[in-house]
Amino acid sequence: MNRFPMPELKDLPEDIRLKILAVQEKAGFVPNVFLALARRPAEWRAFFAYHDALMIKEEGGNPNGSLTKGEREMIVTTTSAANHCLYCVVAHGAILRIYEKKPLVADQVAVNYHKADISPRQ
C-alpha cells in the first residue's frame, strides 16, 4: 500500500484536472508533483497560483527588460541544482529545453551556469 497514493485525473476537481491536462499537452508529461499536491485541492490551487504569478508573467512592458520564460526556468534550474534537488532539476530542465530550444543548455546550467552556452544577460 502506498502511503501517499496519487489521485486519478478523473477524480480531481475540474479546474485542477484541466490545468494538469494542459501541462501534459504542452510538456508531454505530467510532473509527479502536480498529482501529489492534488490530494489537497486548496493547497494545490495556492501553490500553482504562486507558481503562475512568478513563472507565467506577461513578457515585455518593463523598460529594463522582463525575464523571458526561458530565463526564469534557467534561474529555477540553477537554484534547484544548488539545492541538490534532482527532481526539480529534471522537471525544470525539461521545460527549459522546450523554451530555449537548445537541448544541452539545461544540462549546462544545472552543472555550472558559469560555463553554460548562454548570453551574458542569461
Side-chain angles (χ1 to χ4, degrees):
M1 176 186 250
N2 188 341
R3 185 173 173 190
F4 299 106
M6 298 288 189
E8 296 288 329
L9 275 174
K10 65 180 178 53
D11 298 329
L12 296 176
E14 184 177 5
D15 64 316
I16 294 175
R17 185 176 63 255
L18 292 175
K19 176 106 176 185
I20 290 173
L21 289 172
V23 168
Q24 181 181 30
E25 185 175 320
K26 187 172 186 174
F29 68 100
V30 176
N32 289 343
V33 70
F34 279 54
L35 293 175
L37 292 174
R39 295 175 63 245
R40 298 175 74 152
E43 292 173 18
W44 190 99
R45 289 180 185 108
F47 178 87
F48 285 100
Y50 180 64
H51 169 274
D52 292 353
L54 293 175
M55 300 302 290
I56 307 179
K57 293 192 280 188
E58 294 291 323
E59 293 182 29
N62 179 344
N64 296 323
S66 295
L67 295 175
T68 67
K69 290 178 181 179
E71 289 167 340
R72 289 185 202 119
E73 289 298 336
M74 284 182 197
I75 293 167
V76 176
T77 302
T78 301
T79 303
S80 298
N83 289 331
H84 306 289
C85 182
L86 182 58
Y87 178 88
C88 292
V89 169
V90 172
H92 287 281
I95 297 166
L96 176 56
R97 285 179 184 86
I98 292 167
Y99 286 154
E100 290 298 310
K101 297 175 179 52
K102 293 181 186 175
L104 294 178
V105 75
D107 296 337
Q108 293 173 338
V109 167
V111 172
N112 182 351
Y113 73 93
H114 294 289
K115 302 281 185 178
D117 183 24
I118 57 178
S119 72
R121 173 187 160 93
Q122 294 169 326

